[in-house]
Amino acid sequence: MTVKRFAGLETEFGILAPQDLTANATVLSARLINAHADLVARERHHVAATSWDYTDERPLQDARGFEMDRDQAHPSQLTDTPRELTAEEIALSTDAQPGKIFKEEASMLAAMYREDANDVGHVRMNMVLGNGARFYVDHAHPEYSSPETLWPADAVLWDQAGDVIARRAADHVRDVWGLGELLVYKNNTDGKGQSYGAHENYLMPRSVDFDKAAAALIPFFATRQVFCGSGRVGIGMRSGYPGFQISQRADFFETEIGLETTVRRPIVNTRDEPHSNWEKYRRLHVIIGDSNMGQVSTYLRVGATSLVLALIEAGRAPEIGLLDPVEALQTISHDPQARAVVRLKDGRRLTAIDIQRIYYDAAASLCADTGADTEPQTADVLQRWGATLDALARDPFEVASTVDWVAKYQLLSAYRDRNGLDWDDPRLAMMDLQWSDLRSDKGLFFKLAGRGRVERLFDDAAIERAVGNPPEDTRAYLRGRAVSAFPDHVVGANWDALSFSVPGRARVQRRSLMDPYWGSRATVEKLFEMQNDIAEFVDALPRGDRGA
């Protein structure tokens, strides 16, 4: 009963080119990925040609015990096939007419990554990074999927590293390639009806009954936005009504439970794709959450969720039933005073803070009973969780330095009051967008942080180390180190496998890593002493499924 748990975060960034606002978003995303590849190649004189290995992907497997037919799935669910630029997208990229991608872009990509401008196979759409993460084009967005971590603080650190990676790639497009500004936003909606994700992944025992877990998680997920929402100007999917709300994503959820992620979005997602030993583990794929700029909001999001999962596994989760979870989710989001009440099945009417306190009290009790509250990070998460709920109950502005939506709301409210603006004033919508701008000299979040008004868990030096280095206590260490040490030989990778090309061997050497612990620095550091001999290194890796 601690916050120690395998976890990883996924961020789909918003992207646009201000000099061409109708530019194809998929091509812009590919531009960002290729810019990072070029940046790494220039710094290290080489970059691994590592493609993503889709062998173990099963995105249509449902935790409720069935697999959806491919012909019934929405195209966005088919994440087990590589994304390539289409002929139409390539045509757009070579068309210099107004509203199209610039011709210089295609010429530059052709010169650097392919000899034939009509051959899209060498345009990078997917990279495995030296820090163990994945950086790729997901639908029409660049996505950074962090490496596996074991502690909430590490999840925050490697998530922040992804922001730096995306920002530097955008700078490279402008400053080195000379292709103009590429703006990258860590937000979740374009304000015009489209939303993109901030997903979380947690490993849990397969022995835990999924239906019981889902029942316990729905009220928690519907209410945790009070301490980890990112805030948003506008009410409704298309921001059709004026106002400010707590969560960027709340208005885009339509059902309680389901397999989809981009249509009919559920509060609890049922994708059963553990990326580890199938018999032993289940991966909880959480799609209901906001992208946080602030470190503490992310820390609480991962830490509190880890504790609730521990409650579920111990059979001590609170039994709370929301009468209408989707309605409750949106009612809570639409009240930035955090005072809205929602109806429970037993007739009670509680606020989100009240419900979160029930979960907090249960977690604190279990930690005290098991002695887990003496573990430093668990104790810190508990203290921050409880203190944040207490402060929100008194006055939300008390947590402006740690809770994203409160910081944004305070800033925008002050500007609105000074200028006598209504919430539908376009200047406020622009400030909302500027909040998540990853440019450190332009983003409003960074301006607040620069004035010391945002609490940080990690300084720039720590984040910089995470940009280039993997966590040391999970298999991400082996993945990241192998990509860096053997850039000419790692030809494929995913979360649970590595594939190598070894001179003199006709077949690719694939090594399965189903045990998420094996591959940590403690288990493989000595193997990297063999890095001058790729054959010896590969032969030292286990051939079977570790942890099977």
Side-chain angles (χ1 to χ4, degrees), residues 217-227 300 304-305 308 318 320 350-363 385-386 389 392:
L217 286 167
I218 286 172
F220 173 72
F221 284 156
T223 56
R224 68 173 186 168
Q225 57 184 298
V226 293
F227 59 76
L300 283 176
T305 302
V308 171
I320 302 172
L350 300 178
T351 67
I353 297 171
D354 295 332
I355 293 171
Q356 280 293 313
R357 274 206 181 105
I358 294 172
Y359 283 97
Y360 166 78
D361 288 342
W385 188 7
L389 295 176
L392 285 167

Side-chain angles (χ1 to χ4, degrees), residues 10-15 74 76 138-143 185-199 230-232 236-239 245 247-254 260-266 287-291 329-330:
E10 306 171 20
T11 300
E12 296 177 8
F13 296 103
I15 189 167
H74 189 273
S76 63
D138 184 26
H139 309 304
H141 296 273
E143 176 171 322
Y185 298 97
K186 195 179 185 183
N187 65 350
N188 300 114
T189 178
D190 62 1
K192 301 175 183 178
Q194 301 300 317
S195 180
Y196 28 99
H199 298 175
S230 289
R232 174 184 163 207
M237 289 187 183
R238 297 182 177 275
S239 301
Q245 60 175 307
S247 169
Q248 291 238 325
R249 295 266 283 169
D251 288 343
F252 294 90
F253 284 79
E254 302 175 67
E260 294 83 1
T261 58
T262 61
V263 295
R264 299 181 297 278
R265 290 182 180 90
I287 69 170
I288 184 167
D290 291 357
S291 295
L329 169 71
Q330 294 166 0

Side-chain angles (χ1 to χ4, degrees), residues 4 21 107 113 139 160 181 214 304 407 417 431 437 469 503 530:
K4 184 179 181 181
L21 296 178
S107 299
Y113 296 106
H139 309 304
Q160 293 274 300
E181 195 79 71
D417 292 343
M431 290 179 69
D437 191 331
N469 296 282
M530 308 173 185

Side-chain angles (χ1 to χ4, degrees), residues 123-139:
V123 175
R124 291 181 185 275
M125 304 291 280
N126 211 318
M127 288 188 68
V128 181
L129 308 185
N131 71 352
R134 182 187 184 191
F135 193 35
Y136 71 112
V137 179
D138 184 26
H139 309 304

